[in-house]
């Protein structure tokens, strides 16, 4: 069981309350595909990913980025049992999508960078620690059902 | 592999950050200690409270070394030779920690540069820091 302090809960909820999912989702996914190009292997059916500009203007990628962020929303609303909340998603990513779980960490890192760029100095080391703790739990839960 | 354009971009960014080396460096270190507490074990001999003299001086040292390497990335092995020896034989920091520090440095850059820390700049910087870390660990074994 993951223990969350009141401060950590407040930090995580605060960040998500002020997050524009339609903006941050696509940005995070695009960044992941650009910074770690091998992640593009999972998006063969999404159209033109030929260069950074193509990725940034690809509507399928943008839509998917929003979907991913809404998925994170479920973890925020169920912080005390993220493992159970994500059990089905984990099975999906393993059995159907065949995504290497290491990619969850890569996307999580890109999301941290995007949020940091948006929040600037408000993304203090203390806030970052809470945020990354949250993402680490999410990443772990997503990889949990792999076998 | 870094393209010519990427090397120019990296040199340009670090050139701009050299005047605020101690701010950038100490911020990245503090982020690393906060997010990855295990990294603090290498600093039991220093005062690592936020913006302490040790943190500022150590942060500055690190950023200046990274900036120096950025001036001619093809010569990294030459430029970093003394630091390679230091890390391999004296400091012996587990190289996994270089990745953790690099990540926190990227976060510091994102906070500092905002939208200017574009995905292309981020990719170039990540590649450079990975190369830097790899060269630093070369003499370990």
């Amino acid at each position: 069981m993951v223990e969350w302090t009141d401060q950590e809960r407040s930090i995580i909820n605060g960040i998500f309350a002020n997050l524009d999912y339609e903006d941050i989702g696509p940005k995070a996914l695009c960044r992941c595909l650009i910074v770690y190009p091998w992640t593009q292997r999972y998006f063969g059916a999404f159209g033109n990913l030929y260069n950074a500009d193509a990725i940034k203007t690809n509507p399928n990628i943008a839509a998917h980025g929003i979907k991913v962020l809404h998925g994170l929303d479920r973890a925020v609303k169920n912080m005390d049992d993220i493992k159970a909340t994500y059990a089905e998603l984990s099975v999906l990513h393993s059995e159907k999508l065949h995504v290497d779980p290491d990619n969850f960490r890569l996307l999580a890192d890109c999301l941290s960078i995007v949020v940091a760029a948006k929040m600037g100095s408000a993304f203090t080391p203390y806030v970052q620690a809470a945020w990354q703790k949250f993402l680490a739990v999410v990443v772990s839960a997503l990889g949990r059902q792999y076998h | 592999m870094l393209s010519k354009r990427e090397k120019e971009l990296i040199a340009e960014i670090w050139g701009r950050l050299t005047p605020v080396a101690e701010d950038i460096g100490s911020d990245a270190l503090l982020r690393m200690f906060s997010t990855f507490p295990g990294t603090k074990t290498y600093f039991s001999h220093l005062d690592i409270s936020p913006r302490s003299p040790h943190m500022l001086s150590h942060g500055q040292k690190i950023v200046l070394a990274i900036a120096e390497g950025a001036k001619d990335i093809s010569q990294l092995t030459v430029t970093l030779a003394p630091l390679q020896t230091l890390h391999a034989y004296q400091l012996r920091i587990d190289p996994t920690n270089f990745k953790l520090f690099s990540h926190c440095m990227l976060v510091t850059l994102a906070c500092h540069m905002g939208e200017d820390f574009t995905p292309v700049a981020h990719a170039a910087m990540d590649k450079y820091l990975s190369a830097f870390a790899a060269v630093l660990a070369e003499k370990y074994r």
Side-chain angles (χ1 to χ4, degrees):
Chain A
M1 251 293 282
V2 184
E3 301 281 336
W4 303 101
T5 64
D6 287 336
Q7 271 165 310
E8 286 170 334
R9 284 179 203 274
S10 147
I11 286 170
I12 304 302
N13 282 305
I15 294 178
F16 273 89
N18 291 313
L19 218 55
D20 179 1
Y21 289 26
E22 321 266 299
D23 177 50
I24 298 294
K27 277 193 174 137
L29 184 56
C30 285
R31 195 167 281 252
C32 189
L33 296 172
I34 293 169
V35 176
Y36 308 112
W38 56 90
T39 56
Q40 292 169 25
R41 74 189 300 285
Y42 301 106
F43 295 90
F46 277 58
N48 185 5
L49 299 179
Y50 193 61
N51 53 35
D53 284 322
I55 293 172
K56 282 192 240 187
T57 53
N58 186 315
N60 296 321
I61 294 295
H64 199 75
I66 298 172
K67 204 196 271 195
V68 167
L69 219 54
H70 281 293
L72 268 180
D73 195 65
R74 283 171 54 199
V76 181
K77 303 216 156 58
N78 294 281
M79 271 174 78
D80 287 310
D81 202 354
I82 294 177
K83 197 163 78 181
T85 309
Y86 274 1
E88 231 180 87
L89 264 177
S90 179
V91 170
L92 175 79
H93 282 77
S94 162
E95 310 281 300
K96 186 154 174 279
L97 304 175
H98 306 294
V99 176
D100 180 339
D102 203 49
N103 293 288
F104 305 145
R105 194 183 44 82
L106 297 181
L107 181 56
D109 284 347
C110 285
L111 182 56
S112 299
I113 297 288
V114 169
V115 168
K118 177 162 167 283
M119 289 177 65
S121 53
F123 195 62
T124 66
Y126 188 69
V127 168
Q128 179 186 349
W131 173 255
Q132 295 214 208
K133 177 177 166 181
F134 170 72
L135 286 182
V137 174
V138 164
V139 164
S140 164
L142 272 175
R144 193 68 181 70
Q145 305 303 327
Y146 280 61
H147 64 93
Chain B
M1 252 178 25
L2 283 161
S3 70
K4 184 161 161 286
R5 177 76 195 103
E6 284 176 317
K7 288 183 188 174
E8 286 166 5
L9 187 55
I10 293 162
E12 194 242 328
I13 291 175
W14 287 110
R16 269 193 285 133
L17 293 175
T18 305
V20 287
E22 58 173 29
D23 298 313
I24 298 293
S26 61
D27 188 62
L29 280 171
L30 186 61
R31 288 180 185 284
M32 185 180 71
F33 297 144
S34 307
T35 310
F36 308 109
T39 56
K40 291 193 285 189
T41 56
Y42 292 98
F43 292 87
S44 50
H45 61 296
L46 294 182
D47 170 12
I48 55 174
S49 56
R51 296 192 69 81
S52 73
H54 284 161
M55 282 286 262
L56 290 172
S57 116
H58 207 77
Q60 184 185 52
K61 230 188 278 195
I62 296 175
V63 168
L64 291 181
I66 295 175
E68 192 60 32
K71 289 183 188 158
D72 193 352
I73 296 175
S74 60
Q75 294 297 302
L76 263 185
T77 310
V78 174
T79 316
L80 293 182
L83 281 174
Q84 284 179 316
T85 308
L86 179 75
H87 283 76
Y89 297 110
Q90 273 184 265
L91 304 178
R92 289 174 293 188
I93 298 173
D94 189 316
T96 314
N97 296 291
F98 300 154
K99 287 203 182 98
L100 304 180
F101 181 73
S102 296
H103 170 73
C104 290
M105 178 54 79
L106 292 175
V107 173
T108 297
L109 293 177
C111 290
H112 188 83
M113 295 169 63
E115 293 296 317
D116 283 345
F117 195 55
T118 62
V120 170
H122 174 174
M125 197 56 77
D126 191 27
K127 288 197 275 184
Y128 171 59
L129 293 177
S130 303
F132 194 94
V135 170
L136 213 52
E138 254 172 22
K139 290 187 177 148
Y140 273 52
R141 54 176 176 172

